[in-house]
Structure formats: C-alpha cells, structure tokens
Amino acid sequence: MSTSGVRFPGDSTSATAREVVAEALRDVDAVGARAVENETNWRRGYLAHFTRLVEAGIGSPEAAVAIAEAGLQAATERFRFDDVPLSKATDSARVTQAFHTRTIEGGAEPETELTIPYRGERLRGRRLTDQLDAWVANGVITASCAQAVTRVQQNPEWLRLEGDTVAVLGAGAEMGPYRALLRWGAEVVALDLPRHDIQERIREHAESGAGRVHLPARIVIDDASEAGADIVHELPAIAQWLEGIDGRLVLGNYCYADGGTHVLVSMAADALGTHVRQRRPDTALAFLATPTDVFAVHGAEVVTANDRYSHGSRFLRTPLRVVSGGRLLQRNYPPRADMGICDALVPQQGPNYAFAKRLQRWRATSARHDGALVSLNVAPATRTRSVIKNKALAAAYAGAHRFGVEVFDPATSNVLMAALLVHDLRAGETPQAEPWMDEAQNAAHGGLWTAAYHPRSALGLAAVLGVGALRG
C-alpha cells in the first residue's frame, strides 16, 4: 500500500472501511453501526452492512443525506495525503510542481446524430428507438433510461456540450465517455496515469476525434510520455491546474484500480472535486455506478422480477434449492412488494471495490443536496478487461443470459452511458424526492434488477453454465 500521496491511515484497509461505514450509520441507525463495529470477518461480512447503508435511508431523504455526509466526513478525516489530512492536500503550500497545458485539436467532423454500436451494427434513428424499447420490454434498462436516451436522440445539438469542459478522470478507461465525447466534438480534459501506452491511446483518440483535448504535461513537447498525471500522488498540482481550465467544468470520475488502490483513487478524486467546487461552484460532477451493488428499485422492476419467478421452472428450481439448503435460486424480492432492494454485490469483487463505489454514491447524494448538478447513472454489466481477467466473473458473465441478464460489450456501454451524461447535463431535470430514486432513475442495470432470482443465489450456476461457453 502507498506510503506517499493519498494513503490509508493504517495498514488495514478493512479496518478503515469498517470504521467509516460505522460512522456513516451511527446517527441514523445506531444498531446498524454497532453491528458493523462487531463484525469480525469484514471480507465476507461487509455485504450485509452495505445493504443496511441503503435500507437505513429509505423513506427519509434527511437520513439518506446524513448517511452520505457522515460517511464522507469520516473518510476524509481518516485518509491522509503524505503527512497531512486529506482535506488539506490541495492547499497551495502542498503544490511542488506545475503542469502546463498541452492541447490537441481533432481533425474529424463532429457527429451530429446519436448512434450506439450494438452487436456488429451502429444503431440510429428508428433502429435505436426499437432497441431501447426492446431493452425496456426485456427488463434490461428502466423506462426512464430509454426516455433519457431518446431525448438526446431528439436533441442532437446537445451532443457537443457547448460551453462545458468535461474533465475525464481515467480517460483511458473502457467505460469512460472520452471517445464518444470526442466524436461529438466536445471540449475535454483527459486525465490518466503518465504511462506511455495510456497516453499514446489518449493522443490517438484525440487526433482522430472532432473535439479538443487538454492534457496536463510537464514539458510541452510531442512525446506522449510527458503527458498525464497521477491523481493519487500529484493531487495538489492537478487541483491547481484544473482551476485554470476554461468553460464550466464537469468533473467525471471514471477511474478504476485493483484492490485498495481503487479506494485511494476514489478518495483522491473526491478531494479534487471538493477543491474544484469550492473554487468554481458551478462545477458539475459525474459518476458511473456499478450494477453489482445494492440499490432500492421501483415497483415496476419488482413486478417484472416476481412475474419471472412465478413463471420459472419449478422442476429445476425446487431440487436445486433442496440440495443447496435453500442457498440457490432464491427469489429476488418478496411477493407483492411495492418496491425492493436489489442486492447484487459480488463477493469476488471484494469490499474495497464496494467501498470505493459507495464513496462515489455518497458524494453524488451530498453534492446534489447542496444544489450541484450531478450525473450518476447505473451502468450495465460489461465485458471489460478487469472483468475478463477474473475467471470466475468471466464465467458468470458468460452464463448470465440464462437468468435474464444481458452483459454488454464496452463499445455499447460507454456510448450509452455517455449519452446519459449528456442528458443529465442538458435536460434540466430536478432531483427526485429521495436519493434512492435519483439512483434508480435512468438505470441501465442490464437485467439484475428484474431477474427472478437473487443475483448471488444464481451467480454460481451462471458461472458453471458459462464455463462451457468460454471454452467454446
């Protein structure tokens, strides 16, 4: 674990997460907080506590905001930047270097129509509308998601995001909007690690796109290795550099890393967002929520899931439930529920992944409550490199269609989610009545919310069924 830059307060990532989750719950759910403190096996036991974080905020917007803000405060107080609290990391006294701006102008003409690649073709016009309707009918996306994408389709002038500058943290990530924004002619700040392979890809997309890309650079020359910045270790300099970027900033966190580093990156991005919003209050924030998390969902998704459960094969389900002691193929929601909790946390992804993503959801809730413009949308399960390299997850994804879950290719997911970002920045919609409703709005959950069975109770079977598909 890192000993410089953004770092955990001690050697145990689990201890830090447990403390933060307990503090998040303490004022709203004292019993839940005590249960977190008494958890002796965080690696396996975190699942129930992350569900409680959602349940404790349902029915009370004040409680949901209090959980988010208490969790963020507890995390910020504990994490450090070198030898100072993280909250002081972006003070001007911490800046030991300065980034120059390197700008790349794309040579292409901007696309003026929304198109989404899907299964070998590029969907546009009526074909795109029909596919959105099919996804809704199949329980793959919410109706509000289809409506949002359709609205962008009907307003193609939105695609360029005129007047905004989108700072993409993790510009080289497969799920980020970087490439789509460039095709549409947007103004983009591309932030990612100063690694030659990453920066070379970023530069190639910038040159072939239709937008304008600003890169942090140590020396303004053509060598890609001089571009890029490490948000964990160079946070103060990045914060100072972003202050000088023109246009209304949209700060989007699309970073991913393995293990505890993912938490450090999320905390660094959060500190950066806090700094920039203090200096530039009109800054908007953007995030992608993972579908493999816990969400409260509307009754429409619950009805679909329960209908699928009722029409499922009892000849298959009953013996499997008997031999597994009831662990396999549990129903996703109680009968006749008017809303539900979809717990799709995947143990193979681990508590650090869940913690990093929950920090982002907390910031979205808190910032939206403070009046900021926030885009946070649930993305579908996607065959990214980080998933494929995990054999268990790769197998589960390969067999997921047997249980009504569609796993997307990265090319489809990143354009779909970029379109939802454009919608959120341009449609002028007001926040929902409760934070969980904001998270349920425009969700492309891939079918996890409408599946007949609790996701973890079907995950093992999906993996078994998927092994053959992978070998084939």
Side-chain angles (χ1 to χ4, degrees), residues 342-463:
C342 181
D343 173 7
L345 285 164
V346 176
Q348 287 84 350
Q349 291 181 311
N352 283 319
Y353 180 78
F355 186 38
K357 299 306 290 185
R358 192 59 57 95
L359 289 165
Q360 296 171 21
R361 288 171 63 182
W362 284 344
R363 179 55 66 190
T365 294
S366 176
R368 193 182 284 115
H369 176 70
D370 289 342
L373 179 57
V374 175
S375 173
L376 181 143
N377 295 301
V378 178
T382 304
R383 298 180 189 88
T384 58
R385 286 186 294 271
S386 63
V387 168
I388 298 303
K389 72 180 183 182
N390 184 310
K391 293 182 179 179
L393 281 178
Y397 275 21
H401 66 282
R402 306 288 187 94
F403 297 95
V405 176
E406 180 170 348
V407 179
F408 282 53
D409 288 328
T412 302
S413 287
N414 62 46
V415 179
L416 176 64
M417 303 316 293
L420 291 173
L421 170 64
V422 168
H423 170 270
D424 295 342
L425 295 176
R426 286 293 177 269
E429 293 190 348
T430 57
Q432 301 292 305
E434 296 189 44
W436 75 261
M437 297 177 182
D438 285 311
E439 296 178 338
Q441 187 81 350
N442 304 341
H445 52 79
L448 286 170
W449 293 7
T450 54
Y453 306 116
H454 187 292
R456 282 197 301 282
S457 75
L459 183 67
L461 287 177

Side-chain angles (χ1 to χ4, degrees), residues 118 341 362 448 464 469:
Y118 184 64
I341 300 293
W362 284 344
L448 286 170
V464 170

